[in-house]
Amino acid sequence: MLLGRVVGQVVATVRSPGFDNVSLLLVQDTTGDEPAGDGAICVAVDLIGAGSGDVVLMTTGSAARVAAGPDTPTDRAVVAIADSVIRHEADLHRTA
């Protein structure tokens, strides 16, 4: 799973039938060690009703396809809104 922040929405009036009942969100990846706001931005199918600024968990690959259902072709799906994220700084600074 990946951790990200919703930074926007994709509006598409013409869609493949598998996308009829889902929202498409722009999500910035916050999983890595990049400074805030420097992660890659991707499009993810919203399965839970996330909104702008929400911190979310995303699945990728086959897990996203299973979560979205067999008729929704996707590589990323938002599956949870995080209430809190606790990050321990000591874990980020590894020594060789």
Side-chain angles (χ1 to χ4, degrees), residues 8-12 15 19 22-26 43-46:
Q9 185 176 20
V10 176
V11 177
R15 301 174 179 218
F19 291 106
V22 296
S23 295
L24 302 172
L25 298 177
L26 285 178
V43 177
V45 171
D46 181 19

Side-chain angles (χ1 to χ4, degrees), residues 1-51:
M1 279 206 237
L2 299 172
L3 191 62
R5 181 177 304 277
V6 177
V7 295
Q9 185 176 20
V10 176
V11 177
T13 54
V14 179
R15 301 174 179 218
S16 173
F19 291 106
D20 288 338
N21 298 315
V22 296
S23 295
L24 302 172
L25 298 177
L26 285 178
V27 181
Q28 186 164 35
D29 187 349
T30 59
T31 305
D33 290 336
E34 302 89 14
D38 286 348
I41 295 176
C42 63
V43 177
V45 171
D46 181 19
L47 302 179
I48 56 166

Side-chain angles (χ1 to χ4, degrees), residues 44-82:
V45 171
D46 181 19
L47 302 179
I48 56 166
S52 184
D54 283 343
V55 175
V56 297
L57 292 176
M58 293 182 292
T59 58
T60 60
S62 61
R65 288 185 285 282
V66 168
D71 297 329
T72 305
T74 187
D75 289 325
R76 292 187 190 241
V78 173
V79 295
I81 298 173

